[in-house]
Amino acid sequence: MFQQLDSHIKQWIVNSVMGVAIALLVLGFFTGEKQDGQPPPAETEVNRQQENKEAISHDSKAEPETIEQYYADDYGDMGEIPPTPVNESEQPPPLEEFFSKEEIAESKAVAEKFITDFYPYDGKDPLQNIRNSKSTVSRDLYELLMESPERPTSMTVERELVSLETIEPFAPAAEVMTWNAKVNGVVTDAEGVKRAETDLYKLKLEKVEGEYKVVDFLVNYLE
């Protein structure tokens, strides 16, 4: 039937069909572009917001509020620990348990006098502090100190006493009297520069001919 139509009519039909086809193609192209540029549907956005809220809620529940909660699984309840009671019977005895008040006072006075006489130092006369402390030390200690006096160094050429604090030993023994001392002083170096210095003395005293004498001592010794 199409072959029997006039050539002009045929041409018009063909042109019309092609025009419709082209119009459909153009319409479809612009429709696709518009959909690609549009934001996601409202329902999808709502779902995404809901998922974010659920994720945040899950993280906040999983994160512990305190350090105690964080370690609770491994260490159990970490509540306040009551102070451990002190058993007085387990504490070391004081000096008074081994020595009389007179012995404690006498030995303390000797220890303080020894440091007061021995600590000051003059590098120009290294034996001076030893001679000054002769009355407070035993004969054996005095001879030992005189044989090996402190020599001046670039760091120490002079030493002056500033303050002295005697401290009762933490765990005294009945066999020997000991005293600890904290000594603050000012030390001068070879360049004349002064610096503050603190030394810790540990003194051992014994009765020699009825009087307490320093028989040995250590300086800055850590037990």
Side-chain angles (χ1 to χ4, degrees):
M1 180 179 179
F2 181 77
Q3 297 294 334
Q4 296 176 359
L5 295 175
D6 182 73
S7 59
H8 293 287
I9 296 175
K10 289 180 180 180
Q11 186 65 39
W12 179 82
I13 293 174
V14 171
N15 292 339
S16 298
V17 172
M18 292 180 62
V20 172
I22 292 172
L24 291 175
L25 289 173
V26 173
L27 180 61
F29 175 78
F30 283 106
T31 302
E33 287 291 327
K34 185 176 180 181
Q35 291 179 350
D36 291 340
Q38 287 180 346
E43 182 179 357
T44 303
E45 183 66 22
V46 171
N47 292 339
R48 181 177 300 174
Q49 292 179 0
Q50 183 64 27
E51 292 176 357
N52 291 338
K53 290 181 180 179
E54 292 177 356
I56 294 173
S57 176
H58 176 74
D59 292 340
S60 62
K61 292 180 180 179
E63 182 180 357
E65 295 181 358
T66 62
I67 191 66
E68 289 80 4
Q69 292 178 351
Y70 182 81
Y71 289 109
D73 293 339
D74 295 330
Y75 301 101
D77 184 13
M78 295 182 64
E80 183 178 355
I81 301 176
T84 303
V86 177
N87 189 347
E88 296 294 339
S89 63
E90 296 179 357
Q91 298 298 309
L95 276 176
E96 287 81 357
E97 187 167 320
F98 303 117
F99 303 96
S100 66
K101 293 183 178 180
E102 292 75 14
E103 290 175 321
I104 295 174
E106 179 188 346
S107 62
K108 182 178 180 181
V110 172
E112 291 178 345
K113 179 170 174 42
F114 165 74
I115 294 177
T116 301
D117 294 337
F118 181 79
Y119 180 83
Y121 176 76
D122 184 358
K124 297 178 182 179
D125 186 3
L127 298 177
Q128 181 180 14
N129 62 330
I130 301 174
R131 292 193 296 265
N132 291 341
S133 61
K134 182 178 181 178
S135 64
T136 60
V137 300
S138 66
R139 180 177 303 176
D140 292 342
L141 180 57
Y142 180 76
E143 293 177 354
L144 179 62
L145 293 174
M146 291 293 288
E147 291 174 359
S148 55
E150 179 183 359
R151 299 298 179 182
T153 65
S154 61
M155 294 296 295
T156 303
V157 297
E158 187 176 334
R159 189 169 52 234
E160 303 173 42
L161 179 66
V162 174
S163 64
L164 164 64
E165 178 186 2
T166 51
I167 305 169
E168 183 176 323
F170 175 71
E175 296 78 15
V176 60
M177 174 74 75
T178 59
W179 282 99
N180 299 324
K182 180 180 178 182
V183 186
N184 297 315
V186 174
V187 180
T188 305
D189 65 15
E191 301 296 329
V193 178
K194 297 180 180 293
R195 69 181 186 276
E197 188 173 84
T198 299
D199 292 320
L200 301 177
Y201 278 70
K202 185 178 181 63
L203 309 177
K204 178 181 178 181
L205 298 93
E206 293 179 358
K207 277 192 174 183
V208 178
E209 298 178 356
E211 295 182 353
Y212 273 106
K213 302 286 183 178
V214 176
V215 298
D216 197 5
F217 69 95
L218 297 170
V219 182
N220 298 329
Y221 174 74
L222 299 178
E223 299 186 35

